[in-house]
Amino acid sequence: MNRRYVVKTIVIAAAVSVFSAMPQKSVAQPCPYRLTAYQYTGSATGYEGAMFEVEAIDYVKICRISPSICYIGAGNVEVWYRLGPKTAVNTGWTHAGTGFLAANCPTFVALEEIPVDINLVLAPGEKATFVLFNDGRVIWTNGSSSAVPNTWQDSRLRINVVGYGVYGSTAGGVPAWNFVANWKWFGAVRYAEGCNIPANAITIDATDQAGNPLAYTNPGSTMYFKYSVQFPAGATSTTFDLKFFRIGGSTSVPEWTTSFNVNKPAGSPLDGIQPITLPSTLPEGYYRVDYQVTSLSTCNTPLTKPLPSNSLMLIAAGKTPCLVYPGDANNDGITNFGDRKSLNKYIFDANLSPTWLTGPARYRADQPTNPFTYYTWVGQPSVPWQTAMGCYMDTDGNGTVNNFDYIAMKLNWMKMHGTPKSGTFSRETFDMDQNYPNPFNPSTSIRYTAPEASLVTLTVNDMYGRTIATLVDGRVDAGVHTANFDASNLSSGNYVATIMMTGVESGLTFTKTIKMALAK
């Protein structure tokens, strides 16, 4: 794929006082950035070469290397690289070239640039390992010192200086190296900003036909993918590639792959929904849907870039999936004390039966970047368990019902989804009912319930926020209670009743406010 590179006019270098005056040698090609790893911790030592690792944080092109060289006289330095993290193997290396350097011992801190153009392009997260091999010594030290960090980075590139010392031969253009572990390299990497597609300029998401997020579907059904192409400003053809990976499958090869193409006009963004029919042969289960887009980059050249993945569940037609709201263990539409009681009873009734307490774990594609994803208050599709309520009792989605499932309840306490099912006002929950009668004259009753012994405060305020009456202030037993409010001495108008309850045993809290109308 043809790629060009954006040129900027700033130089980035790590700064340490004793080395701040080191020269920045210019280069012929436009590679303005320079990241320096000041890892020198002792006297020069070693064999013929040194290894280090670089990792791209953003799209970059590695241009040249500037080591600190210890020579007695001038000499040649070979530059070798290998895609991937540092490893003590002799295969897969590419010889970028050989450059003549003139540095002499003991000028250990002098960084001299090797006149070898590397032209290695890395995408975010990709790593490459370099070996500098010569007939003198590249400065590197043993790994005993912890006075300076082992990793140096800026906003685009990271250098891990802990690598290997290398000795051996590159006769015939084939490396035959031996490795000495945990030695640290000292030098700098010059690089350029790589071509890119701006973040969030092109997006795609699995939805239903109306464009709402899609949690699950059936094999053989039609899915819809909502896309947006905001870049570049001119007309462009954009291709989306979709790969379906089944979680728990026996291979990393996708179960199914498809793609579609859209054409963005000049001068305006392109938004749309693309229908895709899934093969009926796709097995049930959880899937990770990986997206990849090919479009014009900031260099106006084609670029292929990964986009954020989706999670999806496929379930056979006629089956009823669980749509779990983490914390709503009894699936009544609200997380409250009733869920705590239901989970206690479920665990007790299970009597340690594995068919009750274990089942399919949920899957969400954003888990590697969001450790709280399984606690997020959204409907999360779950494969049905052998028991009807097991998938809901597994509030944290890890495939096991235990006391850790209370954490999701606490994080989502009193949250609601949809319309809570009837009968939620009971001795199993914290709640306060609407006063009756309402409007009232001159008195009314307020019913409230506590599932355990609780500290309760029930007050009535006027519309100016002034406290008119305190109806309850102290400990009450578990159960349904009634408080009476007599407004004989008050004027007609609206009043507000607020209850605050804290369970003595659980420490769980509850607050609710109702409006009341006094009509004389």
Side-chain angles (χ1 to χ4, degrees):
M1 180 175 292
N2 182 27
R3 297 182 180 177
R4 292 181 295 170
Y5 303 91
V6 175
V7 177
K8 292 189 177 180
T9 56
I10 62 174
V11 174
I12 297 177
V16 176
S17 58
V18 68
F19 302 125
S20 59
M22 285 193 289
Q24 301 289 310
K25 185 174 180 178
S26 61
V27 294
Q29 77 277 24
C31 288
Y33 305 118
R34 180 169 176 170
L35 178 61
T36 305
Y38 297 102
Q39 189 57 62
Y40 178 57
T41 58
S43 60
T45 184
Y47 297 91
E48 289 90 352
M51 175 190 289
F52 64 95
E53 176 189 283
V54 299
E55 179 181 0
I57 300 173
D58 202 344
Y59 287 87
V60 296
K61 182 186 76 168
I62 308 298
C63 300
R64 290 190 177 182
I65 306 297
S66 302
S68 178
I69 300 295
C70 177
Y71 274 120
I72 301 176
N76 293 316
V77 177
E78 300 179 31
V79 180
W80 295 75
Y81 67 85
R82 186 180 190 277
L83 292 176
K86 70 181 181 72
T87 179
V89 298
N90 283 313
T91 60
W93 294 93
T94 298
H95 186 221
T98 303
F100 179 83
L101 295 181
N104 293 301
C105 287
T107 56
F108 301 144
V109 300
L111 295 178
E112 186 173 1
E113 190 166 282
I114 305 173
V116 172
D117 294 333
I118 299 171
N119 297 321
L120 174 63
V121 177
L122 298 177
E126 287 188 326
K127 294 182 179 181
T129 303
F130 286 87
V131 162
L132 307 180
F133 194 86
N134 58 34
D135 53 2
R137 291 181 177 180
V138 180
I139 283 190
W140 47 296
T141 66
N142 63 37
S144 62
S145 174
S146 58
V148 289
N150 295 326
T151 303
W152 301 80
Q153 71 179 61
D154 57 24
S155 61
R156 303 176 188 86
L157 192 68
R158 181 180 294 116
I159 302 176
N160 179 5
V161 297
V162 177
Y164 294 94
V166 179
Y167 66 96
S169 170
T170 60
V174 177
W177 295 327
N178 294 295
F179 301 90
V180 182
N182 296 327
W183 288 65
K184 301 177 182 179
W185 174 74
F186 171 31
V189 176
R190 188 179 290 277
Y191 68 94
E193 183 179 355
C195 298
N196 194 8
I197 296 173
N200 301 316
I202 300 178
T203 60
I204 186 172
D205 195 15
T207 67
D208 60 19
Q209 191 170 4
N212 301 309
L214 185 69
Y216 62 90
T217 189
N218 308 119
S221 63
T222 298
M223 290 183 64
Y224 297 85
F225 291 89
K226 185 177 182 179
Y227 60 85
S228 178
V229 182
Q230 307 285 329
F231 177 88
T236 184
S237 176
T238 298
T239 300
F240 292 96
D241 295 305
L242 290 63
K243 298 180 180 180
F244 288 69
F245 293 86
R246 188 162 65 92
I247 305 305
S250 60
T251 177
S252 59
V253 176
E255 290 279 346
W256 184 59
T257 299
T258 188
S259 64
F260 65 92
N261 181 266
V262 296
N263 293 303
K264 174 189 168 300
S268 62
L270 176 65
D271 298 294
I273 297 178
Q274 176 72 28
I276 298 287
T277 300
L278 301 180
S280 59
T281 55
L282 282 179
E284 293 181 79
Y286 290 106
Y287 284 79
R288 185 186 79 247
V289 186
D290 284 358
Y291 302 114
Q292 186 173 272
V293 64
T294 301
S295 190
L296 292 181
S297 70
T298 51
C299 305
N300 202 37
T301 56
L303 175 68
T304 299
K305 176 180 180 178
L307 298 177
S309 301
N310 267 160
S311 54
L312 178 72
M313 188 177 75
L314 298 187
I315 189 167
K319 285 191 177 181
T320 302
C322 300
L323 195 60
V324 178
Y325 281 79
D328 185 13
N330 59 11
N331 193 34
D332 66 353
I334 183 171
T335 300
N336 55 21
F337 199 87
D339 297 292
R340 183 182 177 89
K341 183 174 181 179
S342 295
L343 181 59
N344 285 340
K345 185 176 185 303
Y346 184 88
I347 294 175
F348 177 81
D349 291 343
N351 195 24
L352 301 181
S353 171
T355 60
W356 281 55
L357 298 177
T358 59
R362 292 200 301 275
Y363 172 75
R364 287 170 64 83
D366 62 342
Q367 192 277 332
T369 58
N370 179 12
F372 291 98
T373 186
Y374 295 108
Y375 300 102
T376 302
W377 188 252
V378 296
Q380 301 187 14
S382 174
V383 174
W385 284 32
Q386 293 190 44
T387 60
M389 296 303 294
C391 54
Y392 301 104
M393 297 294 167
D394 181 24
T395 64
D396 59 7
N398 65 357
T400 303
V401 175
N402 53 30
N403 289 336
F404 289 106
D405 290 300
Y406 294 120
I407 297 174
M409 295 181 193
K410 289 190 174 184
L411 292 176
N412 293 300
W413 186 246
M414 294 311 298
K415 290 184 179 178
M416 298 168 48
H417 63 91
T419 302
K421 299 175 182 178
S422 60
T424 57
F425 186 87
S426 71
R427 63 178 61 249
E428 295 184 356
T429 65
F430 288 111
D431 204 355
M432 177 173 64
D433 209 354
Q434 185 66 46
N435 64 300
Y436 181 83
N438 189 46
F440 67 96
N441 180 29
S443 64
T444 188
S445 297
I446 303 172
R447 189 173 61 148
Y448 65 95
T449 178
E452 62 176 312
S454 303
L455 302 177
V456 179
T457 302
L458 175 56
T459 59
V460 178
N461 291 1
D462 63 17
M463 298 309 292
Y464 296 99
R466 297 173 297 192
T467 300
I468 302 301
T470 300
L471 306 182
V472 182
D473 187 14
R475 176 171 172 151
V476 302
D477 293 331
V480 179
H481 304 270
T482 300
N484 294 313
F485 174 46
D486 187 348
S488 300
N489 298 324
L490 299 175
S491 303
S492 297
N494 292 323
Y495 294 85
V496 175
T498 301
I499 194 168
M500 293 181 289
M501 295 187 280
T502 302
V504 172
E505 179 183 357
S506 67
L508 297 173
T509 61
F510 173 84
T511 300
K512 187 175 180 179
T513 297
I514 60 173
K515 291 183 179 180
M516 306 183 296
L518 173 60
K520 290 187 174 181

